Amino acid sequence: MRIAVVQTRPEFGDVPGNAARAVSMLGTEQADLYVLPELALSGYLFESKDEAVGMAQAPDDDVFEGFRSFASSAGAAVVLGFAERAGESLYNSSLLLSPDGTQSVYRKVQLFWGEKDIFEPGDRPPAVAEGVGARLGMMICFDWIFPEIARTLALAGAQVLCHSANLVLPYCQDAMVTRCIENRVFAATSNRVGTEKRAGRELTYTGMSQIVAPDGRVLVRASGDSEDVLVAEIDPGAADDKSVTPRNELFGDRRPDLYRL
């Protein structure tokens, strides 16, 4: 299968414009799976929870119609981050849209810095979805620093980690190489680029979206400052081989009875 990471530069607050531009970028490369950044429609640096609520969506909202239409016509799956409105709650979420019209949502478990003032932490464990010839798991940005998220998905059978992100720390991309090695999975990290200055804060996003193989090889990596769509061809079945040596199997050699959690 072919995986694409879509590295964007959203305009803060321009939800319909960001959606339209992102959909147009999808059409520039053929793939079976497209992964877009965290909060791809709104931008990231909210001044208040009320501001975020004003830019939030429910998964069935019309703003996703362009992505749904593309997924259906291209026979591809699309993963993108968004601010999710769920009753009185607000989550930093990812939406997986499948070509057959089904969809699933992951709510970010590990909130970063000021996100704790805006969003509620995810209220359900990360799950694996079947789609476009692979088993897909979603994680979002700061989830990268907690090995439990990737391990939970890998133990549930995920072959590809769809990692939507707004990365600002300098070592996140390299850490995802470790997540792949320690779980023998593929990972598609889609980061954004650009700088946001709001509410007395400034964040510069590091780009370098990438696709990593189970052995830690970086198959493609984008620049740190330009929008781009990069594609890698993979065999998802390679993630089912957890052998490290002829006598060591990654999950079979685990000793959870001795681990302190």
Side-chain angles (χ1 to χ4, degrees), residues 24-100:
S24 70
M25 290 179 70
L26 300 183
T28 64
E29 292 284 353
Q30 187 276 323
D32 303 294
L33 169 66
Y34 297 82
V35 183
L36 290 92
E38 175 185 21
L39 298 172
L41 303 186
S42 60
Y44 180 84
L45 201 48
F46 298 108
E47 293 186 351
S48 67
K49 182 172 183 177
D50 286 344
E51 183 179 58
V53 169
M55 300 180 200
Q57 298 82 36
D60 294 326
D61 282 1
D62 290 343
V63 72
F64 298 110
E65 189 54 40
F67 296 102
R68 293 190 192 97
S69 178
F70 177 86
S72 176
S73 62
V78 178
V79 174
L80 72 154
F82 71 110
E84 183 194 2
R85 184 180 64 254
E88 298 298 315
S89 299
L90 186 68
Y91 297 99
N92 184 340
S93 298
S94 281
L95 177 64
L96 167 62
L97 299 168
S98 298
D100 63 1

Side-chain angles (χ1 to χ4, degrees), residues 5 10 16 18 20 32 50 56 58 64 85 89 106 111 117 125 155 174-175 181 196 220 230-231 241:
V5 284
N18 291 330
D32 303 294
D50 286 344
F64 298 110
R85 184 180 64 254
S89 299
Y106 165 67
L111 298 179
D117 301 321
L155 287 171
D174 290 340
I181 293 171
E196 287 180 341
V220 293
L230 296 181
V231 177
D241 180 5

Side-chain angles (χ1 to χ4, degrees), residues 111-157:
L111 298 179
F112 179 69
W113 200 5
E115 292 174 31
K116 294 186 175 186
D117 301 321
I118 306 295
F119 300 105
E120 296 178 41
D123 57 351
R124 52 202 185 200
V128 175
E130 295 273 356
V132 292
R135 298 188 298 274
L136 310 176
M138 289 182 283
M139 53 188 290
I140 300 175
C141 204
F142 196 49
D143 285 337
W144 65 265
I145 204 169
F146 297 89
E148 294 88 350
I149 298 292
R151 177 54 57 88
T152 295
L153 290 167
L155 287 171

